[in-house]
Amino acid sequence: MKAMNIDGIDKPENEKYVLSLKNISYKYEKTTKNVLKNVSADFETGKIYSVIGKSGSGKSTLLSLIAGLDVCTEGQILYRNEDLKILDRDEYRAKKIGVIFQAFNLLTNANAIENIVLSMQISGNETRDKTGCAYGLLQKMGIDKETASRKILKLSGGEQQRVGIARAVSNDPDIIIADEPTGNLDTETESDVLKILTSLAHESGKCVIIVTHSKKVSSIADCVLTMKDGGLAAGK
Amino acid sequence: MYILTNAIKNLTRNTGRNVLAAAVIFAVIAAAVAALIIYNTAGGVIADYKTRFGSQVVISVDIDKYVGSNPPRGGQSAMALPQVTAAQSISFADSNYIREYTMRVSKDVTGDDLKAIDEGSGGVFPMGGNTLGDFMLTNNFDDFESGMRYIKDGGPIMNSGECLISEEFADLNGLKTGDKIELFGSMSNAEDGTKRTATYSLTVAGIFYDFTDEYPGMRMPLSNKRNEILVSTETLTSSMLEGESGLAVSAVFYLKDPQMLADFEAEIRGKGLSDYMAVRTDEAGYNRIVAPVEGLMGFTLTFLIIILALGAAIIALLCSIAIRERKYEIGVLRAMGMKKKRVALGLWAELIMISCLCLCFGIAAGTLAAEPIGNTLLAEQTKAAQTPDVPRGPINLNNPRGTEADAIPPLEQLDIRVGTPVIMQIIGMTVCLVSFAGFVSIGKITKYEPIKILSERN
């Protein structure tokens, strides 16, 4: 499969791509079937990409590979022209990419502030007033101080998702990936979350990649990538 | 630094789980502390006894060897047992292996112009062709040290040829300080057996009150304590010619180190100690006192090993369960980019902090429990070690009063000692224990990739 950018025009590899997938394939351990087959794509900063497709088409697997949570069996994933297989993936996850999980994946025995402060500490963020910074971020996501001090399990799904987004952006990463970010949310909250994601891409210049089934979510994307039978095709 | 602060926060975040872990760790530490304290104290007691009794040399007739070489003939037992002479004892004491020694020398004597208390009551006893005298010359001043005797008139012995006599003896003979007395004792040549009468010309230096038991033995002049005439060792040995015997000598030698016994024996054999004499430390006395303590020590060591092994297994199991419960948390931390070793360090730090808290309480509880437990166990061991049979051993002719160990009853109570080394051992043991448990459990979980952990939960 030929590499393509979101405009559908072939471009030479250069530094404007924050992330490039080069013929990546993936199969799970002890299986023979490839979940992903020769997938190639380039991603730029300041844009929103949505990855759609049927269940089991490999969307979440692709997201895991981009997030550095797993390694492709063939091909390369380049972050600013550096292969993820060579990069320190812990460092990459801590500093270069923010992940918003469908299941939130927050530390449930800590409060919202502690989740964000810990993420900043792990990434080596040198901000002195990390707690103040975390409050600021949560405020932007519509979480007040009182809510921010509550244990995660005492928050609603929408609030948890906002905390997840705040954590994902807390280290000012280049790439933000979101797996079904609105899957568990009501319509009103879904709109709020989409506004935040749009703002992150178009105002803060992040590369936002969203895996979704939702047409509403896809509608805000600058580029829609469709997963089918382990392959990737560009739309919009 | 954030790993530590996060670990501290986690202690309060997971209270229930941590309290359970703390309870188990506390129980293990308290039991281990008690066992270790008892073990170390028992070790100290043994080392102390070893130094005291292991260094006390007993020179005695090896009766089996002697009878084997000199079988009884014609219905008569050959009772002329070998003995250590005064000259030999003095030469034995002159050794580099000796830390200190005590030598009691005595000689039965008669006096032409002197009357003895109880004279005529027991008569004279023939012994080995000789008759015993009425008075005992001795250099034993122990009763003065114990306060049973003290000088009434005159003063202590300052020179050779001076003596101290009892008030009763002085009154009976009309003696006072400064008076001179003459005593006679039989000496025999060790080679040809010829006899000679040695004369002791003594000046009364002092007269003492005597509160000792007048008749510690038979009722006869010689064994009456009031007839004892105290002189210096020099006075006693000065009347003896070279190669003569006739003085009763009781010497106890203390080695600088129990390990020097073989060298000391070789040296005194070279100085003429008979082959029929056995040289040994007070093994029987040592065993009598130390056996229960050794039993206790062995028991506590076994207990300690079991406790540590069981404790390590239980803590490892508990940690494994706790870590499994926290698998998701670990997955989240790893997904956030925290390195495996930092995750492991955080979990280990939590375990160490719990252990430190338990250490404080465990050491206190273990120390309090150690003494009653130790004494109960010791009583059981003492009871088990008591045997009614007295084993046949060499006859200690030279120290008829017995050894120091004979005078000491078996240990009944442990003097529990908790010093810095014990505390350091306990801390080291605890850190090793929880580190091992942590290594087993934490190592298991950190080998998983975060995606696997999170996908399992999802």
Side-chain angles (χ1 to χ4, degrees), chain A residues 105-190:
Chain A
N105 287 344
L106 296 164
L107 295 172
T108 49
N109 54 9
N111 62 29
I113 289 293
E114 286 168 339
N115 266 276
I116 293 161
V117 168
L118 185 60
S119 172
M120 292 164 85
Q121 286 170 328
I122 290 171
S123 69
N125 190 317
E126 288 177 357
T127 307
R128 282 201 171 188
D129 183 16
K130 290 188 178 67
T131 308
C133 189
Y135 272 124
L137 274 171
L138 285 169
Q139 220 161 13
K140 274 188 193 171
M141 303 296 158
I143 302 272
D144 59 38
K145 266 196 170 185
E146 191 270 324
T147 312
S149 307
R150 292 213 306 257
K151 285 271 166 72
I152 290 298
L153 289 178
K154 306 255 169 151
L155 302 180
S156 69
E159 285 168 334
Q160 287 190 41
Q161 193 62 292
R162 286 163 202 262
V163 175
I165 296 170
R167 184 183 65 182
V169 299
S170 62
N171 303 318
D172 194 22
D174 293 331
I175 308 162
I176 292 164
I177 54 174
D179 187 6
E180 298 281 8
T182 58
N184 298 320
L185 308 178
D186 58 68
T187 320
E188 195 184 336
T189 315
E190 182 183 29

Side-chain angles (χ1 to χ4, degrees), chain B residues 105 107 109 135-145 149-151 155-159 161-166 169 181 183 202-206 208-210 212 224-233 235-236:
Chain B
V105 186
K107 173 68 189 161
V109 290
F135 314 106
M136 184 65 85
L137 284 181
T138 177
N139 69 344
N140 186 351
F141 290 85
D142 287 353
D143 292 326
F144 282 94
E145 285 170 21
R149 284 174 172 171
Y150 65 90
I151 292 174
I157 292 167
M158 303 299 284
N159 302 301
E162 289 182 344
C163 68
L164 300 179
I165 56 173
S166 72
F169 180 72
I181 55 174
L183 299 162
L202 305 172
T203 305
V204 178
F208 58 83
Y209 281 127
D210 195 347
T212 59
N224 190 313
K225 292 278 279 182
R226 308 293 179 263
N227 287 332
E228 274 186 6
I229 298 166
L230 276 67
V231 290
S232 66
T233 308
T235 305
L236 274 161

Side-chain angles (χ1 to χ4, degrees), chain B residues 387-440:
Chain B
T387 52
D389 302 325
V390 178
R392 177 182 172 186
I395 299 169
N396 185 3
L397 293 174
N398 296 294
N399 191 11
R401 293 171 303 138
T403 60
E404 190 179 342
D406 294 333
I408 295 178
L411 200 67
E412 285 177 355
Q413 283 203 320
L414 283 177
D415 178 19
I416 292 297
R417 296 163 227 173
V418 191
T420 313
V422 176
I423 291 172
M424 294 311 288
Q425 279 176 334
I426 291 162
I427 291 172
M429 220 168 56
T430 308
V431 170
C432 288
L433 196 74
V434 293
S435 295
F436 165 74
F439 178 76
V440 171

